[in-house]
Structures are given as structure tokens and as C-alpha cells.
Amino acid sequence: NFTYATASNDMVYTAEDGTQFVYNAGDIAWTLASTALVWLMIPGVGYLYSGLLRRKNALSQLWLCMVTIGVVSFQWYIWGFSLAFSDTGGVFIGDLRYAALVGVLEKPSMGSVRIPSIVFCVYQLMFAAITPMLAVGAIAERATLGPIMVFIFVWSTLVYDPIANWTWNANGWSFKLGGLDFAGGTPVHISSGTAALAISIYLGKRRGYGTERLAYKPHNSSYVVLGTALLWFGWFGFNGGSALSANMRAANACIITNLAASVAGVTWMLWDYRLEKKWSVVGFCSGAIVGLVAITPASGFVGPHASVAFGVVAGTVCNFATKLKFIFGYDDPLDIFASHGIGGMVGNILTALFAQKSVAALDGFSVIPGGWPDHNWVQLGYQIADCCAGFGYSLVMTTVILWIMHFIPGLRLRASEEAEIVGIDDAEMGEFAYDYVGIDADLGPKDTEMQRAESPALTEKDHPPVAPHGERQ
């Protein structure tokens, strides 16, 4: 019940009641290209996280990014898409109308009548996949890997899908209220950042927390740059693709995405420079990430001038937010809550202050009341309500999931002290990111001497020389 227009190659779909919908070939192509861009962000997160850790735990983060894609893709097929975007669902969560993707093909999508549902489905799958990957980075260096696959499946179902439903589904309470979230400030960033906070609290502190053993620098800054580059590159599809159409709104989203990341990167780097008088590439990358996070909810509603403010504020607030873990005493090795949780909140609030209905109208059909520039003062209340709901729901539900798993045999996440010492890569995978992984520095002088005294003498063949530059990470 669909045909192709000969001249334009657009698809014409005829519904059962005789209504015709024209799917624009250019919009379909842009959305599918954006799907590929967002997919690339997931290994980007893996490389970013891997580079920030010690080398003995580097490969586990790359494992996580690939496994997350697999688990969430299956969950999205089973019921994830239906729970998030069923058009017959409720204000909080959808129903199972589209379970197993039944009826998801040529019908008009909820996101745009210019693309079919199957295109919208695969695009949104990438958002569903990257969100738990952002969160589970918090297990770094102290968690078993098997149970995390169960956690990802359950968390996606009970946390991500409801928040996506109430934010983006036309039946959702936040959508009806008037909340503005173009590409995932609450469903992606606040939910994942808050989940990382809950995971960090549940797992507790790593061995040696508060001592010089954990005062290490990122083991591979090149991985950090590579991960940031993949994320920055993919974010053009993340924000620009959320227009679901190749139009001026998508173009505007791309330019302000790049500008916010650039300004935030420089801002963070300057704040770091005041402490050590060094120009840190890790600092720049950290700032660029929070700039991308903050501009996400606003990318379809603000112009270039506002995006500069987003970059400065996000780069500043999130830089200082990294101190929260010391104030409250939780161990978040990758500062996920500071970057994504706080960054998402900053973005949501600034959206109310800078959103313009004229920018939303760049796609030719979107009509919103705007934010403060349009004298819509109540928008700030809507945005704060959405932040609080996303934070509270993710924190409570993630904690509940973790503690239920804690009492189920075989599903407890916390790794043993021995696994921490040798590294999660060795203990859980038996594979390594590098030929050499040293653990002497983590053991400490006394532990190392005891270990050598209890072990038989090793030859040079059994005990190869240390890595170049005497790295002991």
C-alpha cells in the first residue's frame, strides 16, 4: 500500500482510511545517516572512558560499549520501542502495541509524518543504546561484567523507556505540559548521569580510594581524544538528526552544537590552567563533552548567540561539579554525574532562558510558545520540573534495580578485591588492551614484596621488562 513518485523518488503511503502520506526521500536519507553517526558515538564513549582509566581496566570499557549495543538492540526489538513510542500508551509509559516491531514499517512515525515508522525506530534505537552506556561507565574498575548485561536490559526497560515516553511521546506528561527537550537532555543525559551516581554509591569506593594509588592520570590521552572526536562527530547526527528532516532547523542545530562544544572546551581548559599552568587536552575534551551535553535539549530551539552562553556556563558549572564527589564522598571515577547529570540540568534550565519560537519554526511547521525571549516565563518551571522528575526517578529506580540484583545469586555487581588488584580485564575477560599491564603500583610496596616472597623465582622469560618510561599503571 505504498508507491514511489517517479520524479522525486518520494514514497507515497496510503493508509487504510484512504489518507495519503508522502515520505520525503531526502529526510529519510538524512535520518538514516544520522542513525549511523549516533551509532558511532557509542564506541566513542568506550574509547573516552577507556583512556581515562588505568590500563589494566581499559578493555572492559570497550567491551561494555559493544555489549550495550547488542543488549539494547534486542530489548528495543522486544518491547523497548513500543514502551517508549506507542501511540496508544499512557502519560508515563507506552504499551505493547508495537512489541517485536509488529506494525512498525511503512506507517507514519510519531516523530514526523515525513518519514516512516521504521526509520524513526532505528534512529531512536541509537539513543536508547548510548544512554545506558553513558551510565554503566560508573562500574569502572570494580564490577563484574556478566550481571551488567542484565542490568542494562532491565534499566533500559524500567528507566530509559518511561522517561523517553513522557518526554517525546505525544501522550507523555512532560510533552503535554510543554517541556522543551529537542534531543535528550532528560532521557539521555540526566537519566544516565543520575544512574551513574546511583551505581557509584551502590558499588562503594575502589580499593585505595583517597590515597596516592588512585591519584593517577588517564593512562591513554590519545584514547580520550579519539573518543571525544567520535562523540563530537556523531553529535551532528544526535542533535541535527533530531529534526528528522533535512531542513534549516537541522542546519541550525549542527552549527550551535559545534559552537557550544568549542566554547565549553576552551572554558574548561582555562579553568584547569589556573591550577597547574598546563594546557590540558583532557581538560579541553572534558569541556567539549559537557558543552555537547548542555546544548542537546536546546539544539532545536536556540540560535548561535545563545550557544556561546551554553558553552561558557556548562564548561564552568560542570568543571566545579567534579568536586561534588569529594564533598559527598562517592567514587565516580569518570565524573559521569558531573558531566551528564549536571550538564543535562544546566542545558534544560538554559533552554527555558534562551528558547525562541522563531528558531523552532525553521522547519516550517513546529509551533512552540518559546522561552523567556518570547516572554513565556513559565517555561522555566516546566524545565525545572522535568529535571527534578528525571533525576528523582532515575536515582530511585536505578538504586532499586541494583539492590534487587544484589540479593539474586549470580547478579551481584561488586567485584572482589582480587579482581580489583589484577584488573577487571584479566579477572573478568582474560584479555588485555595492551601487551603489558603493571599492577605493582596498585599493590603497594609492602604487598608487592610479600607477593614476590611467596612466589618462585622468575626468569626474564617469565617476567618481561616493564613498559617504556617505567609506566606502572
Side-chain angles (χ1 to χ4, degrees), residues 231-454:
L231 283 166
W232 197 330
F233 179 69
W235 229 293
F236 290 107
F238 197 89
N239 288 351
S242 290
L244 302 175
S245 181
N247 55 35
M248 290 300 294
R249 195 181 189 188
N252 180 74
C254 288
I255 188 66
I256 66 173
T257 295
N258 185 72
L259 186 55
S262 302
V263 173
V266 173
T267 300
W268 186 301
M269 183 176 62
L270 290 174
W271 280 117
D272 280 359
Y273 182 82
R274 85 188 195 281
L275 298 176
E276 297 186 6
K277 299 298 184 290
K278 302 289 185 182
W279 300 107
S280 170
V281 68
V282 174
F284 179 87
C285 290
S286 299
I289 296 298
V290 302
L292 293 165
V293 169
I295 200 62
T296 292
S299 53
F301 307 116
V302 305
H305 302 312
S307 68
V308 174
F310 274 75
V312 172
V313 175
T316 300
V317 172
C318 294
N319 181 285
F320 285 94
T322 60
K323 308 300 186 293
L324 291 175
K325 63 183 179 183
F326 303 112
I327 296 173
F328 294 103
Y330 61 89
D331 185 9
D332 184 359
L334 300 168
D335 289 321
I336 300 172
F337 178 66
S339 297
H340 294 275
I342 300 299
M345 295 177 194
V346 168
N348 270 5
I349 293 171
L350 290 180
T351 298
L353 304 184
F354 292 101
Q356 297 176 263
K357 57 186 178 182
S358 59
V359 174
L362 287 174
D363 58 12
F365 57 84
S366 292
V367 178
I368 65 168
W372 282 20
D374 297 305
H375 309 293
N376 182 31
W377 314 115
V378 74
Q379 192 64 47
L380 179 60
Y382 296 158
Q383 299 301 107
I384 293 175
D386 200 47
C387 287
C388 293
F391 173 81
Y393 182 76
S394 181
L395 182 66
V396 171
M397 283 303 299
T398 304
T399 302
V400 169
I401 293 169
L402 290 168
W403 279 104
I404 290 176
M405 290 179 60
H406 182 86
F407 292 105
I408 298 176
L411 293 185
R412 187 174 298 187
L413 284 180
R414 192 62 163 88
S416 65
E417 184 178 12
E418 292 78 9
E420 278 196 71
I421 292 173
V422 301
I424 299 301
D425 293 357
D426 189 6
E428 291 287 315
M429 303 174 65
E431 299 172 338
F432 308 93
Y434 305 94
D435 291 336
Y436 170 78
V437 176
I439 63 172
D440 287 1
D442 188 53
L443 286 169
K446 184 176 180 180
D447 296 327
T448 304
E449 291 173 5
M450 291 177 61
Q451 183 189 54
R452 288 173 177 169
E454 294 172 358

Side-chain angles (χ1 to χ4, degrees), residues 131-188:
T131 304
M133 178 58 209
L134 292 171
V136 297
I139 74 168
E141 302 196 334
R142 64 196 191 282
T144 56
L145 298 182
I148 201 65
M149 293 186 283
V150 176
F151 173 82
I152 290 170
F153 188 96
V154 175
W155 189 89
S156 296
T157 301
L158 299 182
V159 180
Y160 177 80
D161 293 343
I163 297 179
N165 177 269
W166 82 49
T167 304
W168 289 323
N169 193 309
N171 298 323
W173 68 262
S174 181
F175 187 94
K176 289 182 176 180
L177 182 67
L180 298 178
D181 193 335
F182 189 65
T186 300
V188 177

